[in-house]
Amino acid sequence: MTAMADQDSITRAADLLARASRVVAFTGAGVSAESGVPTFRGAGGLWEGHPVEQVATPEAFAADPLMVWRFYDQRRVNLAPRRPNPAHQVLAGWQERFASFVLATQNVDSLHEDAGSREVLHLHGSIWRVRCCRCQEEREDRTAPFPALPPRCPCGGLLRPAVVWFGEALPMDVLETAMVAAERCEVLLVVGTSAVVYPAAGLVEVAAGAGAAVIEVNPQASALAWLANVALRGPAGEMLPRLQEALAARTS
């Protein structure tokens, strides 16, 4: 059984945040798991007999766009009723608390925005955005399910999910913005991520290398837990409200 964060760890994390004006939060699948969103790496399953890692690729889409869209259409249908949990809500509230608060996420579900977060840095894109393979126009589209698969752009081109597939590079402008924020922040919160997927996980190394305090919030130690100044061992939906309560007590 995973040990829950003790009050001393909550207190130390709150002290770090109370002294900070520039904060970055880096979130992963564990944040959304508490909203009922399956963790991508935890699923370990097949889609129509294919490993997921072989479905979410440019090559699979080029070979069989209908199969790939059936996979993503089902994910969109499953995500549609999901709602933000207390972790999303605390992070959304912190954008008003700190002089600079940057939220970078590996999640594609947009639950951070649903909770009220603005200008979220989507390192791996959003499942609720589509991009035309012909004209390259990208837009939000929350249709679920699509009436016909694979969906098409008004120009006639095939639409694809605007997510980063295996074998694709992260959007450089988003990654660079996140890296600059990590290098300049005073506190980096690493929330609900195993910190094994690069280059996104490099945010932790950049922040720690620049002298920022690192607070890890996760039931188990991540691959970069050794860089954390404080570790809150428990679900983000429980740990972040406790941290917010302790922080509010210092600034009220």
Side-chain angles (χ1 to χ4, degrees):
M1 181 177 294
T2 302
M4 298 292 287
D6 57 35
Q7 191 56 42
D8 180 61
S9 297
I10 295 287
T11 299
R12 287 188 289 127
D15 286 343
L16 291 171
L17 286 171
R19 296 194 298 266
S21 60
R22 299 184 306 278
V23 176
V24 172
F26 171 46
T27 69
V31 174
S32 294
E34 294 173 77
S35 292
V37 178
T39 57
F40 193 81
R41 290 186 166 268
L46 303 176
W47 175 256
E48 298 184 353
H50 304 280
V52 169
E53 292 81 358
Q54 293 179 14
V55 175
T57 68
E59 294 78 15
F61 189 75
D64 193 344
L66 179 58
M67 178 195 69
V68 175
W69 261 116
R70 282 200 299 263
F71 170 68
Y72 279 98
D73 202 41
Q74 187 59 58
R75 287 189 70 190
R76 287 161 64 99
V77 168
N78 291 340
L79 281 172
R82 307 302 176 188
R83 295 294 176 262
N85 63 59
H88 296 108
Q89 293 161 355
V90 168
L91 292 171
W94 281 352
Q95 64 193 347
E96 310 298 341
R97 173 176 288 277
F98 299 100
S100 172
F101 183 78
V102 175
L103 176 55
T105 187
Q106 296 171 293
N107 300 337
V108 300
D109 51 51
S110 293
L111 286 173
H112 284 302
E113 284 91 341
D114 292 346
S117 290
R118 303 181 299 272
E119 300 180 9
V120 178
L121 298 177
H122 281 274
L123 298 168
H124 293 163
S126 169
I127 200 171
W128 298 114
R129 295 186 67 81
V130 294
R131 183 165 68 246
C132 178
C133 295
R134 178 184 293 176
C135 71
Q136 299 303 310
E137 179 186 356
E138 184 174 314
R139 67 177 187 276
E140 182 167 349
D141 188 330
R142 294 222 171 198
T143 305
F146 279 110
L149 294 177
R152 290 189 174 272
C153 177
C155 79
L158 275 176
L159 293 175
R160 58 158 284 178
V163 298
V164 177
W165 281 331
F166 290 99
E168 291 185 325
L170 273 61
M172 286 307 301
D173 56 339
V174 177
L175 180 60
E176 288 176 4
T177 300
M179 287 294 183
V180 169
E183 187 175 21
R184 294 176 178 174
C185 75
E186 296 163 297
V187 175
L188 174 73
L189 289 133
V190 185
V191 188
T193 176
S194 58
V196 297
V197 179
Y198 281 83
L203 292 175
V204 185
E205 295 167 323
V206 167
V214 177
I215 301 171
E216 178 169 283
V217 184
N218 210 43
Q220 293 85 33
S222 77
L224 296 177
W226 60 277
L227 291 172
N229 299 81
V230 183
L232 306 184
R233 293 285 169 245
E238 298 177 23
M239 294 299 101
L240 290 186
R242 288 179 61 188
L243 183 53
Q244 162 60 18
E245 183 179 354
L247 180 60
R250 280 159 182 71
T251 56
S252 59

